[in-house]
Amino acid sequence: MQPMVMRRCTCALQRCHEWHAGDPSHSAVRENQAQGPSRCRHVGRVPALSRHTRSGSVGATPRENMNLCWSEIKRKSHNIRARLEALNDHSGKLQLSLQEVLDWLAQKDEELSEHLPLGGDITSVQQQKELHATFMEEVKAKGPYIYSVLESAQAFLSQHPFEEAEDTLPDNKADVSPRRRVHNISRFVWKQANVTSELWEKLTARCIDRHKHIERTLERLLELKGAMEQLAVTLNQGETVRDAWEPVGDLFIDSLQEHIEATKLFKEELSPLKEGLKQVNDLAHQLAISDVHLSTENARSLEQLNTRWKQLQGTLEERLKQLQDAHRDFGPGSQHFLSTSVQVPWERAISPNKVPYYINHQAQTTCWDHPKMTELYQTLADLNNIKFSAYRTAMKLKKVQKTLRLDLLTLTTASDVFREHDLHQTEQQMDIVDIIQCLTTLYERLEEERGILVNVPLCVDMCLNWLLNVFDSGRNGKIRALSFKAGIACMCNAEVNDKYKYLFAQVSNANKLCDQRHLSLLLHDAIQIPRQLGEVAAFGGSNIEPSVRSCFRFANGKPTIEVSHFLEWTSLEPQSLVWLPVLHRITIAESVKHQAKCSVCKQCPIKGFRYRSLKQFNVDICQTCFLTGRGTKANKLHYPIMEYYTPTTSGENMRDFAKTLKNKFRSKQYFSKHPQRGYLPVQSLLESNAIET
C-alpha cells in the first residue's frame, strides 16, 4: 500500500486542521482557501474527523490538539489499509477460482474437439458415445462449482460496483487511489466472470449438439447396416437365380418366349433392390455431409454391393437381349426357319434392316432376289411374245400367282388373317418381321383349310420377295399395310367384284365414302403390280391422276364416291386396272374346253380362251394363236372378234351369227373408222388440272 502523505490546510470558515491524502499543490490549497468551504477541493478521500479533533479539547493546547488529530488519522488509515487488504485477499481468491474455471473450460473444449470426427462404424460410434457420456458426466459434475464461482463473482460485483467506462490509469501506479484500485479489481472480476459464463454455455451447448450428432449418426449407421444386410440377402438370391440360368443356345425354340417373360418378371422383382441400393448410397452420402466417413470395412461392403448389383443388372440385360434376339432370329416370328427356302450353294442372309438377300457361294455373288424368283422371272420372259399387253401382264401374274400358291388363297381367309394381325390403318407401316409373321399365318391357314402340303418357308420367302420387289424396290425394309393387303387381295383367288369391294373398303371412311386422296393411294399401289413386270406404260403409266379423275366422273361433282360408283367405273375395265379382270378371266378359262377347232393351228378342242370371228363364219382361234398374233390372210385380227372364257350357249351362238351376218356387208374402212376397245381409256394428264395424290 502506498504511503499516505499528510498535509494540513486551513479552511477559513471552519478554522480547523484537516489532513488529506495525496499531494495537492499549493495553488489548490490557496484556491480552496479563497473559495471557502462550499468549494473546497482536495485530492483523494478525506477521512472525516471527530468533533473533538475539529474543535479541540476545551482547554487543550494546540500541540495536544494536533496529537489527537494525528492519532485519529492513524486509526482511520489503519482501518482503510485493513479493508483494502481484505478486499485484495477476497478478490484474489475469486480471481484464482475464475481463472481455474477458465483453464478447465478451455481444456474441456479442446478435449471435445479432439473427439472429432466420429467413426464410420457402429462399434466406433458406440465407444465414442460412451466416452462422450463420461465427458458429459464430468462436465455436469463441474457445473455446481462453476455456478457457485459465478454467483460469488456476482455477489462481489454487487458489493463493489464500478463505472462502465474504464478510466485511464495514470503513468505512476503508485499514485492510484484506493477507490480507483477497487474499481479496477471489480472490472477485472467482471471480465473474467463474463468469459467464464460464455465458455460454460458454449461447452454445454457443444456437448448437447455432440450428443445429438452421435445419436443421429448411430441411428443412420444402424439403418445402413440393416439395409446393407438385406441387400446382401437379396443379391445372393438374385445371383443364385442367375447362376441357375441355362445358356441361351441350349434352350428350345418353343420355350424362348417363356424364358423372356420369366426374365422380365425377374427384372421387375429386382426393382426393390435398385431402390434399396439407392437408399443405402443416400445414407452414406448424408453421413459424409455430416463429416462421418464410413469405415474401411463399411466402405468396402458398400462398394461390393454396388459392384455386384451392376454385374447382376448387366447380366440380366444381356440375358434378356440374347433371348429376344434368339426369339427374333429363331422363334415363330423369326426368319431363321426361312433359311431352308434355299439349297446349296445358296445361303439366305439378312441385312441390318432385316431385309433378306441371297449369297451364291459357288459364284461368290449376292442378289436381292430368291434363286427361285430369278428362275420365275426368266420363265416370264417367254411370255413376251404375247402381243396384247393386258393379256401379257395377266399371263405373267398368273404364273407368279401359282408360284406363290396364292391361287389357293381365298379373300375371306386373307381378310381374317389381316384382321388377326391388326392391319387396320391405311398408312400403317409394316417391317420385315411383321410381313413374315402375317405371311406365315396366311400359308399355315391355307395349308390347314385346303388340306394340302405347302412348303411354308419357301412360299413365305418367295411372297416376301415379290412384295418387296413390287412395293419396296429400294429395300428400305418397310411397306404400308394398304400395299400389303392390296397385293395379296389382287393375287388371291376371288371374284373380281369381291376384290374391288374389298379394296374400296380399305380406303373408305366410316361412312363408306372415299375421297380422291385415298383412291389415289389405292390405285398407286395397284399400278405397282404391272410396273414391277415392266408393263406399266400400256396402263397409263405410273401417274394415276387420270384414273382418279375418270372414276370421279361417276360421282356427279361430289368430293367423295361410294362403292357403287367405284364398281360402275371398274365394270368398264379402266385402262389402269384392265389387267385385273383379264387375270380373273384367265383363271376361269384355263380349265375350260371349247368344242371347236382352231382355224390356225387346228387344235381341237380349244383349251382356254376361244376367239370367234364376227366377220367370217366358222372361224375360231385358240388363245395361243390369237395372243401371239398368228393367223392367215383370211383371218385378219383387225376384224371384230368375240372372246369366250366359258363354253358358249346356243343363245350366244345365235347372237354371234347375227353379228357376223351384219358385218359381212361392212367394208374394211368401216372397221378402221369404228375401232372397238375392250377397256375404258383414261384421259391424259394434260387434259385437266392436277389433283392431290
Side-chain angles (χ1 to χ4, degrees):
M1 182 175 294
Q2 297 178 359
M4 300 188 66
V5 180
M6 313 305 292
R7 292 184 181 276
R8 185 184 68 176
C9 74
T10 304
C11 293
L13 181 61
Q14 296 180 0
R15 304 194 58 82
C16 64
H17 301 286
E18 293 186 0
W19 298 88
H20 306 278
D23 187 15
S25 62
H26 294 289
S27 60
V29 174
R30 287 194 299 269
E31 182 181 357
N32 291 338
Q33 293 174 354
Q35 292 177 354
S38 61
R39 297 183 58 85
C40 180
R41 297 175 60 193
H42 306 283
V43 179
R45 182 177 178 182
V46 181
L49 301 178
S50 66
R51 180 173 55 86
H52 298 287
T53 303
R54 287 197 298 267
S55 58
S57 301
V58 178
T61 64
R63 185 178 183 83
E64 291 176 348
N65 289 336
M66 182 182 299
N67 290 333
L68 289 175
C69 260
W70 177 248
S71 299
E72 183 69 17
I73 289 173
K74 287 176 66 176
R75 186 181 63 81
K76 297 278 187 182
S77 176
H78 178 73
N79 292 338
I80 291 174
R81 184 180 294 108
R83 285 199 301 271
L84 286 176
E85 289 177 354
L87 176 64
N88 284 336
D89 183 58
H90 179 60
S91 65
K93 293 180 179 179
L94 182 60
Q95 290 175 16
L96 287 175
S97 299
L98 287 172
Q99 188 61 44
E100 178 187 355
V101 172
L102 284 174
D103 294 340
W104 183 86
L105 289 174
Q107 178 186 355
K108 293 304 176 183
D109 187 73
E110 185 177 353
E111 291 179 8
L112 192 61
S113 299
E114 291 176 353
H115 293 168
L116 287 175
L118 294 180
D121 57 85
I122 296 176
T123 304
S124 299
V125 175
Q126 286 178 339
Q127 292 176 354
Q128 288 176 308
K129 180 181 179 181
E130 295 174 359
L131 181 64
H132 185 68
T134 304
F135 182 84
M136 288 188 66
E137 289 294 332
E138 184 179 353
V139 171
K140 184 177 180 181
K142 194 74 171 179
Y145 173 72
I146 294 175
Y147 286 126
S148 66
V149 172
L150 292 175
E151 289 174 358
S152 299
Q154 185 178 4
F156 177 84
L157 293 174
S158 63
Q159 294 176 3
H160 306 283
F162 64 96
E163 287 80 1
E164 294 270 335
E166 185 175 357
D167 296 335
T168 303
L169 294 176
D171 295 337
N172 186 5
K173 294 184 179 180
D175 295 337
V176 177
S177 68
R179 184 180 181 186
R180 175 75 58 82
R181 188 180 304 165
V182 171
H183 284 187
N184 291 341
I185 293 174
S186 299
R187 182 176 292 106
F188 185 74
V189 171
W190 174 76
K191 286 183 178 180
Q192 277 188 311
N194 275 349
V195 174
T196 302
S197 178
E198 290 176 359
L199 290 179
W200 171 249
E201 291 178 359
K202 179 181 176 182
L203 180 64
T204 53
R206 286 190 65 190
C207 287
I208 295 173
D209 292 342
R210 177 65 55 79
H211 177 72
K212 292 180 179 179
H213 181 43
I214 292 175
E215 290 291 339
R216 186 166 54 250
T217 301
L218 186 59
E219 180 182 353
R220 288 177 177 174
L221 285 174
L222 289 171
E223 183 181 359
L224 179 67
K225 179 182 178 182
M228 289 175 65
E229 290 176 351
Q230 182 62 35
L231 284 176
V233 172
T234 308
L235 276 172
N236 289 335
Q237 295 174 350
E239 290 169 346
T240 303
V241 174
R242 178 195 62 188
D243 296 339
W245 284 341
E246 298 181 42
V248 177
D250 296 343
L251 300 176
F252 291 104
I253 294 177
D254 295 339
S255 66
L256 288 175
Q257 186 61 40
E258 297 179 4
H259 283 279
I260 290 175
E261 298 299 330
T263 305
K264 289 182 178 179
L265 181 61
F266 179 63
K267 184 178 180 180
E268 293 178 0
E269 292 174 352
L270 291 181
S271 297
L273 179 62
K274 181 179 180 180
E275 296 298 326
L277 197 63
K278 181 178 181 299
Q279 178 186 1
V280 166
N281 289 324
D282 289 343
L283 284 173
H285 180 66
Q286 292 173 6
L287 288 171
I289 291 177
S290 59
D291 199 25
V292 178
H293 300 284
L294 295 180
S295 64
T296 304
E297 182 180 356
N298 283 341
R300 187 186 303 112
S301 299
L302 181 59
E303 183 180 0
Q304 289 177 352
L305 288 175
N306 282 288
T307 303
R308 290 170 62 190
W309 163 247
K310 290 180 181 179
Q311 291 176 349
L312 179 61
Q313 191 177 33
T315 307
L316 179 62
E317 294 294 340
E318 181 63 24
R319 169 80 171 185
L320 185 59
K321 182 178 182 300
Q322 290 178 356
L323 288 171
Q324 291 174 340
D325 291 344
H327 185 266
R328 184 188 65 247
D329 296 337
F330 304 102
S334 69
Q335 301 188 43
H336 176 68
F337 75 104
L338 299 178
S339 60
T340 60
S341 67
V342 295
Q343 303 296 327
V344 178
W346 289 94
E347 178 188 354
R348 188 181 190 274
I350 302 175
S351 62
N353 60 352
K354 308 303 178 185
V355 175
Y357 65 96
Y358 304 90
I359 305 172
N360 188 330
H361 292 287
Q362 183 176 357
Q364 296 184 350
T365 58
T366 60
C367 62
W368 289 117
D369 284 328
H370 192 284
K372 295 289 185 182
M373 184 64 70
T374 303
E375 295 177 5
L376 174 62
Y377 288 153
Q378 290 174 354
T379 61
L380 295 182
D382 298 337
L383 300 175
N384 288 334
N385 60 350
I386 297 177
K387 294 181 59 177
F388 307 103
S389 58
Y391 288 86
R392 184 172 61 248
T393 302
M395 287 291 187
K396 291 180 179 181
L397 289 177
K398 186 61 183 177
K399 276 208 165 189
V400 174
Q401 183 189 44
K402 286 187 174 182
T403 303
L404 302 182
R405 306 299 295 271
L406 293 178
D407 58 322
L408 303 176
L409 179 67
T410 63
L411 184 59
T412 302
T413 301
S415 61
D416 290 343
V417 173
F418 297 157
R419 188 163 46 253
E420 291 174 9
H421 287 264
D422 296 326
L423 302 181
H424 302 301
Q425 298 180 1
T426 302
E427 300 185 19
Q428 176 183 346
Q429 294 289 327
M430 298 178 64
D431 58 20
I432 301 300
V433 175
D434 296 333
I435 298 172
I436 290 175
Q437 291 178 347
C438 191
L439 288 177
T440 303
T441 306
L442 206 64
Y443 282 106
E444 289 177 349
R445 191 72 54 81
L446 172 64
E447 187 177 36
E448 179 183 348
E449 292 180 354
R450 292 286 184 172
I452 59 176
L453 185 62
V454 177
N455 189 343
V456 176
L458 178 61
C459 291
V460 169
D461 213 14
M462 290 283 287
C463 192
L464 172 65
N465 197 165
W466 177 75
L467 288 169
L468 293 176
N469 286 344
V470 173
F471 301 110
D472 185 25
S473 58
R475 292 304 195 269
N476 296 315
K478 290 182 181 293
I479 65 173
R480 286 182 304 189
L482 175 63
S483 303
F484 177 77
K485 293 190 288 185
I488 299 298
C490 288
M491 300 295 284
C492 73
N493 183 14
E495 293 291 334
V496 67
N497 275 349
D498 293 339
K499 293 182 179 181
Y500 286 143
K501 291 177 183 178
Y502 178 79
L503 293 174
F504 184 84
Q506 304 311 304
V507 293
S508 59
N509 56 25
N511 297 324
K512 298 183 179 180
L513 299 175
C514 178
D515 56 15
Q516 291 188 1
R517 178 179 176 275
H518 287 87
L519 182 61
S520 299
L521 291 175
L522 175 61
L523 295 181
H524 176 269
D525 286 341
I527 203 66
Q528 301 308 309
I529 296 175
R531 182 199 63 79
Q532 191 268 331
L533 297 174
E535 301 287 353
V536 70
F539 305 104
S542 298
N543 194 339
I544 44 80
E545 293 183 10
S547 298
V548 175
R549 192 176 296 109
S550 173
C551 181
F552 266 79
R553 288 177 181 174
F554 293 86
N556 299 322
K558 295 181 181 179
T560 57
I561 59 172
E562 301 175 3
V563 64
S564 59
H565 299 146
F566 183 68
L567 292 177
E568 184 179 1
W569 178 66
T570 55
S571 65
L572 300 177
E573 297 189 5
Q575 183 177 356
S576 55
L577 291 177
V578 66
W579 53 270
L580 188 56
V582 173
L583 174 62
H584 175 67
R585 293 200 295 271
I586 290 176
T587 302
I588 298 175
E590 63 182 358
S591 61
V592 174
K593 292 182 179 180
H594 303 274
Q595 298 302 319
K597 181 193 290 187
C598 177
S599 300
V600 179
C601 68
K602 308 306 179 182
Q603 177 187 358
C604 183
I606 296 176
K607 296 180 180 180
F609 286 110
R610 171 190 177 186
Y611 295 92
R612 172 184 286 175
S613 174
L614 297 182
K615 175 66 175 177
Q616 296 173 326
F617 292 107
N618 298 324
V619 174
D620 295 290
I621 306 174
C622 68
Q623 70 176 26
T624 302
C625 295
F626 178 80
L627 296 179
T628 58
R630 287 191 296 173
T632 61
K633 293 182 179 179
N635 301 317
K636 302 296 183 181
L637 296 182
H638 59 264
Y639 290 138
I641 294 176
M642 190 66 184
E643 177 187 83
Y644 289 99
Y645 56 92
T646 57
T648 58
T649 62
S650 58
E652 292 172 338
N653 291 334
M654 289 299 297
R655 182 195 60 193
D656 292 345
F657 177 80
K659 289 183 178 180
T660 303
L661 185 61
K662 186 185 296 184
N663 290 334
K664 276 287 187 181
F665 299 99
R666 290 173 177 169
S667 63
K668 180 179 179 181
Q669 289 75 15
Y670 173 83
F671 294 110
S672 300
K673 293 180 181 180
H674 300 84
Q676 295 182 356
R677 293 188 177 95
Y679 62 92
L680 173 67
V682 295
Q683 67 184 29
S684 171
L685 178 63
L686 299 176
E687 296 179 18
S688 61
N689 296 329
I691 61 174
E692 179 187 6
T693 60

